[in-house]
Amino acid sequence: MSGGRPRRLWPARLAPWVLPAVALALWAGSAASGSWDYGRRVGANLGEFAIEMASFLPAMFLLVGLFDVWVPRATIERHLGRGSGVAGVFWVVLLATLQAGPLYAAFPVAVALWRKGCTPANVFIYLGAFSALKVPMLTFEVGFLGWRFSLARTALSLPVFVVLGYLLERLLPAGLELPGAGGATRG
Amino acid sequence: MIVLLAVTAAALAASLLADRRKTLAGVRKGLAMFLSVLPALAGVLAGVSLLLAAVTPAMFRDVLGGSGPIPFVVALLVGSVALMPGFIAYPLAAVLRANGASDPVLAAFLTTLMMVGVATLPVEARFLGWRIALWRNTLAFVGAVAVAIGMAAVLG
């Protein structure tokens, strides 16, 4: 967060909380009336999301913060930056597959990698692998849909998002800056 | 998830032992990032909760279980917009399959679900900017179509 950012007016600050308030009100209404199905389902969904968010995000952000202060830019540049080639792709895919959690938990990591000199293509490949190739999720997928489905989907997805990663990098102007949602430094 | 917490705890402990001030700076940075996206994220999650509650699994099943291109298209669109933890998405996919949804349709649904996040665009844009967020999602959608077509070719 840049220090000189002006404070927003309170209506703008409250706006994001309108939907959570509505959802909570609906849930409370159904709990009070005891029979309203829609409100009950809203509450159940919100609860699931809240648990998912609470179980992954704080740890993820903590790790990103530590990553930011400890890992030297040169290390990331050497292994994931320009000229890192296939090895760079291998490392970001490995990093992503060992993680778990919703895709939005990967965005802070993506920002941190980008700022430390990882190529945009590798950042996008990381996000692709995070969304489609996480090992904890794969075990789940095999359990419910079988290894044939899982194997075929994985084998097809990997080349697709590697290609998309490079394509996306070419679509963007060189030296594009990230807004980065505060925090991470460039050092 | 337990692994993530263990790794985080270990990293935090190691970092504290090595350098307390650096650790504090890192924790503060992580916390600042977290707090800056929390409102947008809460709004998105609540919005999705409201939308998803309006759609019952039975409706899903009826549309996706049919034949022809319509289940395919619906799967791509629903997967793109919806947001669902994996531990709900996979059991749901198994139910859909038992009700006649084909593997390519399931792949279309799961791949867009995982890679495309229309609902989470505001959150993604806070991190990566609107330009990257929109391009990434557009390309991910195209990629999901490619994967689904590939699934149809491979698994028939």
mmCIF file of all heavy atoms in Angstrom, chain A residues 76-106:
data_model
loop_
_atom_site.group_PDB
_atom_site.id
_atom_site.type_symbol
_atom_site.label_atom_id
_atom_site.label_comp_id
_atom_site.label_asym_id
_atom_site.label_seq_id
_atom_site.Cartn_x
_atom_site.Cartn_y
_atom_site.Cartn_z
ATOM 1 N N ILE A 76 14.958 -15.665 -7.742
ATOM 2 C CA ILE A 76 13.768 -15.872 -8.566
ATOM 3 C C ILE A 76 14.076 -15.564 -10.023
ATOM 4 O O ILE A 76 13.685 -16.297 -10.925
ATOM 5 C CB ILE A 76 12.609 -14.979 -8.071
ATOM 6 C CG1 ILE A 76 12.223 -15.377 -6.648
ATOM 7 C CG2 ILE A 76 11.402 -15.086 -8.985
ATOM 8 C CD1 ILE A 76 11.717 -16.791 -6.508
ATOM 9 N N GLU A 77 14.851 -14.485 -10.233
ATOM 10 C CA GLU A 77 15.198 -14.121 -11.612
ATOM 11 C C GLU A 77 15.970 -15.238 -12.294
ATOM 12 O O GLU A 77 15.741 -15.555 -13.453
ATOM 13 C CB GLU A 77 16.028 -12.833 -11.612
ATOM 14 C CG GLU A 77 15.199 -11.622 -11.945
ATOM 15 C CD GLU A 77 15.985 -10.336 -11.856
ATOM 16 O OE1 GLU A 77 17.168 -10.372 -11.449
ATOM 17 O OE2 GLU A 77 15.402 -9.292 -12.177
ATOM 18 N N ARG A 78 16.900 -15.844 -11.532
ATOM 19 C CA ARG A 78 17.735 -16.874 -12.136
ATOM 20 C C ARG A 78 16.913 -18.119 -12.488
ATOM 21 O O ARG A 78 17.064 -18.675 -13.560
ATOM 22 C CB ARG A 78 18.881 -17.242 -11.181
ATOM 23 C CG ARG A 78 19.928 -18.130 -11.830
ATOM 24 C CD ARG A 78 21.199 -18.194 -11.021
ATOM 25 N NE ARG A 78 21.001 -18.837 -9.737
ATOM 26 C CZ ARG A 78 21.142 -18.242 -8.560
ATOM 27 N NH1 ARG A 78 21.471 -16.967 -8.507
ATOM 28 N NH2 ARG A 78 20.957 -18.897 -7.446
ATOM 29 N N HIS A 79 16.023 -18.523 -11.578
ATOM 30 C CA HIS A 79 15.329 -19.798 -11.782
ATOM 31 C C HIS A 79 14.011 -19.672 -12.535
ATOM 32 O O HIS A 79 13.568 -20.609 -13.192
ATOM 33 C CB HIS A 79 15.084 -20.486 -10.442
ATOM 34 C CG HIS A 79 16.350 -20.918 -9.781
ATOM 35 N ND1 HIS A 79 17.108 -21.957 -10.247
ATOM 36 C CD2 HIS A 79 17.020 -20.414 -8.708
ATOM 37 C CE1 HIS A 79 18.183 -22.091 -9.475
ATOM 38 N NE2 HIS A 79 18.153 -21.167 -8.546
ATOM 39 N N LEU A 80 13.342 -18.520 -12.417
ATOM 40 C CA LEU A 80 12.022 -18.375 -13.035
ATOM 41 C C LEU A 80 11.951 -17.196 -13.991
ATOM 42 O O LEU A 80 10.915 -16.927 -14.579
ATOM 43 C CB LEU A 80 10.949 -18.183 -11.948
ATOM 44 C CG LEU A 80 10.913 -19.228 -10.824
ATOM 45 C CD1 LEU A 80 9.880 -18.835 -9.773
ATOM 46 C CD2 LEU A 80 10.601 -20.606 -11.376
ATOM 47 N N GLY A 81 13.056 -16.486 -14.142
ATOM 48 C CA GLY A 81 13.041 -15.284 -14.970
ATOM 49 C C GLY A 81 13.370 -15.568 -16.425
ATOM 50 O O GLY A 81 13.303 -16.714 -16.875
ATOM 51 N N ARG A 82 13.742 -14.509 -17.143
ATOM 52 C CA ARG A 82 14.125 -14.648 -18.555
ATOM 53 C C ARG A 82 15.211 -15.700 -18.702
ATOM 54 O O ARG A 82 16.177 -15.696 -17.948
ATOM 55 C CB ARG A 82 14.681 -13.323 -19.085
ATOM 56 C CG ARG A 82 13.723 -12.187 -19.031
ATOM 57 C CD ARG A 82 12.906 -12.049 -20.307
ATOM 58 N NE ARG A 82 11.668 -11.340 -19.977
ATOM 59 C CZ ARG A 82 10.453 -11.788 -20.244
ATOM 60 N NH1 ARG A 82 10.287 -12.925 -20.876
ATOM 61 N NH2 ARG A 82 9.397 -11.107 -19.905
ATOM 62 N N GLY A 83 15.047 -16.570 -19.676
ATOM 63 C CA GLY A 83 16.089 -17.545 -19.939
ATOM 64 C C GLY A 83 16.044 -18.750 -19.021
ATOM 65 O O GLY A 83 16.892 -19.632 -19.110
ATOM 66 N N SER A 84 15.046 -18.821 -18.132
ATOM 67 C CA SER A 84 14.953 -19.993 -17.263
ATOM 68 C C SER A 84 14.362 -21.178 -18.022
ATOM 69 O O SER A 84 14.556 -22.330 -17.634
ATOM 70 C CB SER A 84 14.107 -19.684 -16.030
ATOM 71 O OG SER A 84 12.786 -19.359 -16.397
ATOM 72 N N GLY A 85 13.658 -20.887 -19.107
ATOM 73 C CA GLY A 85 13.198 -21.926 -20.030
ATOM 74 C C GLY A 85 12.357 -23.022 -19.407
ATOM 75 O O GLY A 85 11.522 -22.762 -18.539
ATOM 76 N N VAL A 86 12.633 -24.266 -19.856
ATOM 77 C CA VAL A 86 11.825 -25.411 -19.426
ATOM 78 C C VAL A 86 11.952 -25.623 -17.915
ATOM 79 O O VAL A 86 10.977 -25.962 -17.242
ATOM 80 C CB VAL A 86 12.254 -26.695 -20.175
ATOM 81 C CG1 VAL A 86 11.375 -27.869 -19.757
ATOM 82 C CG2 VAL A 86 12.156 -26.474 -21.670
ATOM 83 N N ALA A 87 13.154 -25.388 -17.376
ATOM 84 C CA ALA A 87 13.357 -25.578 -15.940
ATOM 85 C C ALA A 87 12.451 -24.632 -15.158
ATOM 86 O O ALA A 87 11.847 -25.024 -14.152
ATOM 87 C CB ALA A 87 14.814 -25.333 -15.583
ATOM 88 N N GLY A 88 12.330 -23.399 -15.635
ATOM 89 C CA GLY A 88 11.465 -22.431 -14.968
ATOM 90 C C GLY A 88 10.023 -22.904 -14.951
ATOM 91 O O GLY A 88 9.343 -22.832 -13.920
ATOM 92 N N VAL A 89 9.563 -23.404 -16.101
ATOM 93 C CA VAL A 89 8.196 -23.933 -16.188
ATOM 94 C C VAL A 89 8.031 -25.092 -15.210
ATOM 95 O O VAL A 89 7.051 -25.174 -14.465
ATOM 96 C CB VAL A 89 7.868 -24.392 -17.627
ATOM 97 C CG1 VAL A 89 6.515 -25.098 -17.669
ATOM 98 C CG2 VAL A 89 7.890 -23.205 -18.577
ATOM 99 N N PHE A 90 9.037 -25.980 -15.187
ATOM 100 C CA PHE A 90 8.988 -27.127 -14.287
ATOM 101 C C PHE A 90 8.826 -26.676 -12.829
ATOM 102 O O PHE A 90 7.984 -27.195 -12.093
ATOM 103 C CB PHE A 90 10.262 -27.966 -14.451
ATOM 104 C CG PHE A 90 10.385 -29.065 -13.427
ATOM 105 C CD1 PHE A 90 9.676 -30.251 -13.577
ATOM 106 C CD2 PHE A 90 11.191 -28.906 -12.311
ATOM 107 C CE1 PHE A 90 9.781 -31.256 -12.632
ATOM 108 C CE2 PHE A 90 11.296 -29.914 -11.357
ATOM 109 C CZ PHE A 90 10.594 -31.088 -11.524
ATOM 110 N N TRP A 91 9.613 -25.684 -12.416
ATOM 111 C CA TRP A 91 9.566 -25.236 -11.017
ATOM 112 C C TRP A 91 8.220 -24.632 -10.657
ATOM 113 O O TRP A 91 7.682 -24.908 -9.584
ATOM 114 C CB TRP A 91 10.688 -24.229 -10.725
ATOM 115 C CG TRP A 91 12.041 -24.857 -10.621
ATOM 116 C CD1 TRP A 91 13.135 -24.539 -11.373
ATOM 117 C CD2 TRP A 91 12.453 -25.912 -9.741
ATOM 118 N NE1 TRP A 91 14.197 -25.332 -11.021
ATOM 119 C CE2 TRP A 91 13.810 -26.182 -10.020
ATOM 120 C CE3 TRP A 91 11.811 -26.645 -8.754
ATOM 121 C CZ2 TRP A 91 14.539 -27.153 -9.345
ATOM 122 C CZ3 TRP A 91 12.522 -27.627 -8.075
ATOM 123 C CH2 TRP A 91 13.878 -27.865 -8.380
ATOM 124 N N VAL A 92 7.663 -23.771 -11.537
ATOM 125 C CA VAL A 92 6.381 -23.152 -11.169
ATOM 126 C C VAL A 92 5.264 -24.194 -11.132
ATOM 127 O O VAL A 92 4.392 -24.142 -10.270
ATOM 128 C CB VAL A 92 5.965 -21.963 -12.090
ATOM 129 C CG1 VAL A 92 6.782 -20.750 -11.772
ATOM 130 C CG2 VAL A 92 5.991 -22.321 -13.550
ATOM 131 N N VAL A 93 5.321 -25.173 -12.054
ATOM 132 C CA VAL A 93 4.291 -26.221 -12.046
ATOM 133 C C VAL A 93 4.416 -27.048 -10.765
ATOM 134 O O VAL A 93 3.425 -27.338 -10.093
ATOM 135 C CB VAL A 93 4.394 -27.124 -13.297
ATOM 136 C CG1 VAL A 93 3.486 -28.346 -13.162
ATOM 137 C CG2 VAL A 93 4.013 -26.333 -14.549
ATOM 138 N N LEU A 94 5.657 -27.387 -10.403
ATOM 139 C CA LEU A 94 5.877 -28.164 -9.183
ATOM 140 C C LEU A 94 5.354 -27.398 -7.961
ATOM 141 O O LEU A 94 4.621 -27.938 -7.129
ATOM 142 C CB LEU A 94 7.367 -28.473 -9.015
ATOM 143 C CG LEU A 94 7.695 -29.381 -7.830
ATOM 144 C CD1 LEU A 94 7.224 -30.801 -8.092
ATOM 145 C CD2 LEU A 94 9.192 -29.383 -7.537
ATOM 146 N N LEU A 95 5.708 -26.111 -7.893
ATOM 147 C CA LEU A 95 5.263 -25.272 -6.778
ATOM 148 C C LEU A 95 3.738 -25.272 -6.685
ATOM 149 O O LEU A 95 3.161 -25.431 -5.604
ATOM 150 C CB LEU A 95 5.779 -23.840 -6.971
ATOM 151 C CG LEU A 95 5.309 -22.793 -5.967
ATOM 152 C CD1 LEU A 95 5.901 -23.076 -4.602
ATOM 153 C CD2 LEU A 95 5.689 -21.393 -6.425
ATOM 154 N N ALA A 96 3.090 -25.124 -7.838
ATOM 155 C CA ALA A 96 1.629 -25.017 -7.852
ATOM 156 C C ALA A 96 0.956 -26.333 -7.485
ATOM 157 O O ALA A 96 -0.021 -26.347 -6.734
ATOM 158 C CB ALA A 96 1.146 -24.563 -9.227
ATOM 159 N N THR A 97 1.486 -27.452 -8.005
ATOM 160 C CA THR A 97 0.803 -28.725 -7.782
ATOM 161 C C THR A 97 0.861 -29.149 -6.319
ATOM 162 O O THR A 97 0.023 -29.905 -5.857
ATOM 163 C CB THR A 97 1.413 -29.866 -8.614
ATOM 164 O OG1 THR A 97 2.810 -29.891 -8.385
ATOM 165 C CG2 THR A 97 1.121 -29.690 -10.080
ATOM 166 N N LEU A 98 1.859 -28.650 -5.583
ATOM 167 C CA LEU A 98 1.982 -29.058 -4.193
ATOM 168 C C LEU A 98 1.083 -28.244 -3.277
ATOM 169 O O LEU A 98 1.008 -28.490 -2.084
ATOM 170 C CB LEU A 98 3.438 -28.926 -3.739
ATOM 171 C CG LEU A 98 4.386 -29.880 -4.463
ATOM 172 C CD1 LEU A 98 5.809 -29.675 -4.001
ATOM 173 C CD2 LEU A 98 3.957 -31.321 -4.263
ATOM 174 N N GLN A 99 0.374 -27.276 -3.838
ATOM 175 C CA GLN A 99 -0.458 -26.427 -3.005
ATOM 176 C C GLN A 99 -1.907 -26.878 -3.022
ATOM 177 O O GLN A 99 -2.293 -27.745 -3.785
ATOM 178 C CB GLN A 99 -0.346 -24.984 -3.486
ATOM 179 C CG GLN A 99 1.014 -24.416 -3.172
ATOM 180 C CD GLN A 99 1.164 -23.023 -3.682
ATOM 181 O OE1 GLN A 99 0.920 -22.749 -4.840
ATOM 182 N NE2 GLN A 99 1.562 -22.133 -2.798
ATOM 183 N N ALA A 100 -2.687 -26.262 -2.168
ATOM 184 C CA ALA A 100 -4.111 -26.544 -2.132
ATOM 185 C C ALA A 100 -4.844 -25.234 -1.925
ATOM 186 O O ALA A 100 -4.238 -24.231 -1.566
ATOM 187 C CB ALA A 100 -4.435 -27.508 -0.999
ATOM 188 N N GLY A 101 -6.139 -25.260 -2.180
ATOM 189 C CA GLY A 101 -6.925 -24.062 -1.919
ATOM 190 C C GLY A 101 -7.553 -23.489 -3.169
ATOM 191 O O GLY A 101 -7.261 -23.930 -4.275
ATOM 192 N N PRO A 102 -8.425 -22.504 -2.983
ATOM 193 C CA PRO A 102 -9.111 -21.888 -4.118
ATOM 194 C C PRO A 102 -8.145 -21.017 -4.929
ATOM 195 O O PRO A 102 -7.107 -20.599 -4.406
ATOM 196 C CB PRO A 102 -10.190 -21.037 -3.460
ATOM 197 C CG PRO A 102 -9.653 -20.741 -2.088
ATOM 198 C CD PRO A 102 -8.831 -21.923 -1.697
ATOM 199 N N LEU A 103 -8.512 -20.752 -6.179
ATOM 200 C CA LEU A 103 -7.621 -20.007 -7.075
ATOM 201 C C LEU A 103 -7.290 -18.622 -6.518
ATOM 202 O O LEU A 103 -6.170 -18.138 -6.669
ATOM 203 C CB LEU A 103 -8.262 -19.881 -8.470
ATOM 204 C CG LEU A 103 -7.428 -19.165 -9.522
ATOM 205 C CD1 LEU A 103 -6.080 -19.845 -9.728
ATOM 206 C CD2 LEU A 103 -8.168 -19.098 -10.860
ATOM 207 N N TYR A 104 -8.253 -17.990 -5.839
ATOM 208 C CA TYR A 104 -7.955 -16.632 -5.365
ATOM 209 C C TYR A 104 -6.847 -16.618 -4.319
ATOM 210 O O TYR A 104 -6.249 -15.582 -4.061
ATOM 211 C CB TYR A 104 -9.220 -15.902 -4.884
ATOM 212 C CG TYR A 104 -10.006 -16.589 -3.791
ATOM 213 C CD1 TYR A 104 -9.550 -16.578 -2.485
ATOM 214 C CD2 TYR A 104 -11.209 -17.234 -4.064
ATOM 215 C CE1 TYR A 104 -10.269 -17.197 -1.478
ATOM 216 C CE2 TYR A 104 -11.947 -17.856 -3.069
ATOM 217 C CZ TYR A 104 -11.462 -17.835 -1.771
ATOM 218 O OH TYR A 104 -12.175 -18.447 -0.784
ATOM 219 N N ALA A 105 -6.554 -17.785 -3.716
ATOM 220 C CA ALA A 105 -5.440 -17.845 -2.770
ATOM 221 C C ALA A 105 -4.100 -17.824 -3.497
ATOM 222 O O ALA A 105 -3.064 -17.579 -2.897
ATOM 223 C CB ALA A 105 -5.547 -19.094 -1.903
ATOM 224 N N ALA A 106 -4.116 -18.098 -4.816
ATOM 225 C CA ALA A 106 -2.872 -18.118 -5.582
ATOM 226 C C ALA A 106 -2.492 -16.730 -6.105
ATOM 227 O O ALA A 106 -1.346 -16.501 -6.483
ATOM 228 C CB ALA A 106 -2.994 -19.087 -6.758
#
